Amino acid sequence: MKGKESEIGMALVRSVALRAIKGSSSSSSVFYTRWVQSGRAQVHLMRSFSAIMSPPSKAVVYEQQGPSDSVTRIIEVPPVEVRENDVCVKMLATPINPSDINRIEGVYPVRPQVPAVGGYEGVGEVYAIGSAVKNLAPGDWVIPSPPSFGTWQTYIVKEQDLWHKINKDSPMEYAATVTVNPLTALRMLEDFETLNSGDSIVQNGSTSIVGQCIIQLARFRGIHSINIIRDRAGSNEVKEHLKALGADKVFTENELEVKNVKSLLTNLPEPALGFNCVGGNSASLVLKFLRQSGTMVTYGGMSKKPVTVSTSSFIFKDLSLRGFWLQKWLSSDRAKECRSMIDYLLCLVQEGKLKYEMELVPFDNFHTALDKALGKLGSQPKQVIKF
């Protein structure tokens, strides 16, 4: 098994460009041993040697696409060289997102070549730097920006331009999860309709992290939110939780089986913008709330059912249907813009204006966390792996 793991580890090193060193001189080997033993105190001393090496890493890998609970396992990955423009980061935390699972399953539009390390976002601490790195130092907290494949491992080596330094006062679990879900919420609120204080939005999937962020970001701007949740046991408690975050209205899907859903708005204006991450009937309910010439943005399809729109909605209400995919937005040369928004979101977290439930799980318990993320153990908070 050890031989097999070593073989896969080296294949991973090549496939994700970790540049493993297959051999080293006796002097550099002695130095590497001392470096591991001495820790950060030897960072500057490293530069006097021909090659700075990362520590060995443990990683969650998959050799083929398939069910994530079947094809993933934890292996050891060999040390890799830290070149002059590189930064070696000791990962602190990384989440398990639905998109991570979809990449492993092979159903996501963009996925790494196998064998691959899982994960797409996270936060880490700078462990060592190459000789040409000027803006980062050991001890700094960084996130991959834009996010990139392979965050489910203990050490990562990438070029300095791919890391964004953040405030170390940021709660670790929020720093690990800020890029995918909160950033999606922020962009969707800003990119499709001009919203002013007093306006309304409507959404389904309101208990998701994106949904919770939309509620709070909208409230912060004086925008009302109408929220749709699925019928479930304990729905009253869910409603109270969302209202505590700032939701103005929360309805179960069954409560919206009325002729005129807008009669439920009381004094709220008809929403110009709606968000759909469910599809099927739940998406149709979002459309019913929208005002004339309103827009519904779809960013997920949890029900795996299509979005259907009545002919009258198109003809008489002139509704617009749009889609949002964060990875496409991030690929549009918006790294600087993305980083400023991440700093903004983390400031809101520090000020207590943005929060959502997560569970920190030790790395050694990864597969238990994965089972929770897959829904095998009932409804669970966002799973965040702590290294």
Side-chain angles (χ1 to χ4, degrees):
M1 182 62 71
K2 284 290 184 181
K4 177 65 172 176
E5 288 189 2
S6 177
E7 179 184 340
I8 296 169
M10 293 306 297
L12 278 165
V13 166
R14 291 191 294 272
S15 68
V16 299
L18 291 179
R19 303 186 303 274
I21 302 302
K22 298 178 182 177
S24 59
S25 67
S26 59
S27 61
S28 63
S29 296
V30 171
F31 166 72
Y32 173 69
T33 301
R34 290 174 180 168
W35 174 55
V36 171
Q37 292 171 344
S38 302
R40 296 181 201 151
Q42 296 297 325
V43 169
H44 295 292
L45 181 60
M46 279 189 251
R47 291 179 174 171
S48 64
F49 292 83
S50 59
I52 303 173
M53 302 296 292
S54 76
S57 184
K58 286 187 176 181
V60 177
V61 304
Y62 54 103
E63 302 162 59
Q64 62 186 34
Q65 265 87 38
S68 55
D69 53 348
S70 299
V71 301
T72 56
R73 60 196 183 99
I74 298 176
I75 69 166
E76 293 185 1
V77 179
V80 299
E81 182 182 357
V82 182
R83 297 180 180 176
E84 63 177 5
N85 287 309
D86 286 346
V87 177
C88 174
V89 172
K90 180 184 185 299
M91 293 302 290
L92 299 173
T94 179
I96 302 177
N97 288 319
S99 56
D100 296 323
I101 294 169
N102 291 156
R103 288 185 182 92
I104 295 170
E105 292 171 338
V107 298
Y108 203 72
V110 176
R111 52 191 180 271
Q113 182 178 355
V114 294
V117 178
Y120 188 60
E121 65 174 332
V123 62
E125 181 179 57
V126 174
Y127 188 84
I129 59 175
S131 59
V133 176
K134 305 300 181 186
N135 298 322
L136 293 172
D140 288 342
W141 277 24
V142 293
I143 62 173
S145 180
S148 58
F149 303 130
T151 57
W152 292 354
Q153 58 184 315
T154 50
Y155 290 89
I156 301 177
V157 176
K158 291 183 182 290
E159 293 183 4
Q160 60 177 324
D161 292 343
L162 300 179
W163 297 106
H164 172 51
K165 181 179 176 180
I166 64 168
N167 190 330
K168 291 179 70 172
D169 291 335
S170 303
M172 181 175 60
E173 62 271 32
Y174 284 94
T177 58
V178 68
T179 305
V180 172
N181 291 312
L183 189 56
T184 293
L186 180 61
R187 289 315 327 157
M188 292 197 303
L189 280 169
E190 295 191 350
D191 287 354
F192 296 96
E193 294 281 350
T194 300
L195 298 173
N196 300 308
S197 179
D199 288 342
S200 296
I201 60 96
V202 58
Q203 66 169 340
N204 59 29
S206 305
T207 58
S208 69
I209 289 185
V210 173
Q212 293 178 63
C213 289
I214 285 173
I215 290 170
Q216 294 168 87
L217 293 172
R219 179 186 63 174
F220 185 60
R221 300 171 182 212
I223 298 167
H224 304 290
S225 65
I226 299 116
N227 299 273
I228 302 169
I229 63 174
R230 62 183 175 85
D231 295 279
R232 67 178 88 184
S235 58
N236 287 334
E237 288 81 359
V238 173
K239 288 181 179 182
E240 291 307 312
H241 172 68
L242 295 180
K243 288 179 179 179
L245 294 178
D248 293 271
K249 299 284 187 180
V250 185
F251 303 104
T252 65
E253 292 180 1
N254 278 346
E255 289 173 335
L256 297 179
E257 296 301 326
V258 296
K259 283 189 175 181
N260 181 15
V261 297
K262 292 181 181 179
S263 64
L264 303 173
L265 294 180
T266 58
N267 296 323
L268 295 184
E270 295 179 6
L273 183 60
F275 303 114
N276 164 51
C277 69
V278 180
N281 180 62
S282 186
S284 300
L285 294 174
V286 171
L287 290 169
K288 287 182 179 180
F289 275 105
L290 291 178
R291 74 184 187 193
Q292 184 78 19
S293 301
T295 299
M296 184 176 77
V297 180
T298 293
Y299 66 98
M302 291 189 296
S303 72
K304 298 182 179 180
K305 295 179 180 178
V307 173
T308 57
V309 188
S310 66
T311 302
S312 61
S313 293
F314 275 130
I315 296 175
F316 303 118
K317 293 184 66 177
D318 190 26
L319 298 181
S320 297
L321 302 185
R322 302 287 303 276
F324 181 82
W325 185 28
L326 181 67
Q327 188 161 331
K328 181 179 180 181
W329 186 88
L330 290 171
S331 66
S332 304
D333 194 26
R334 285 171 160 158
K336 290 184 178 179
E337 185 180 356
C338 169
R339 292 178 178 187
S340 64
M341 288 185 291
I342 284 170
D343 292 340
Y344 165 73
L345 289 166
L346 288 176
C347 281
L348 292 181
V349 168
Q350 290 178 261
E351 294 169 2
K353 297 175 180 176
L354 186 64
K355 57 186 177 181
Y356 40 88
E357 187 181 1
M358 291 170 280
E359 181 181 3
L360 281 168
V361 181
F363 181 51
D364 289 342
N365 295 342
F366 171 80
H367 280 96
T368 299
L370 181 60
D371 284 345
K372 290 182 178 181
L374 290 169
K376 290 184 176 181
L377 303 175
S379 180
Q380 299 285 337
K382 170 70 69 177
Q383 297 295 292
V384 180
I385 304 303
K386 181 180 179 181
F387 295 97

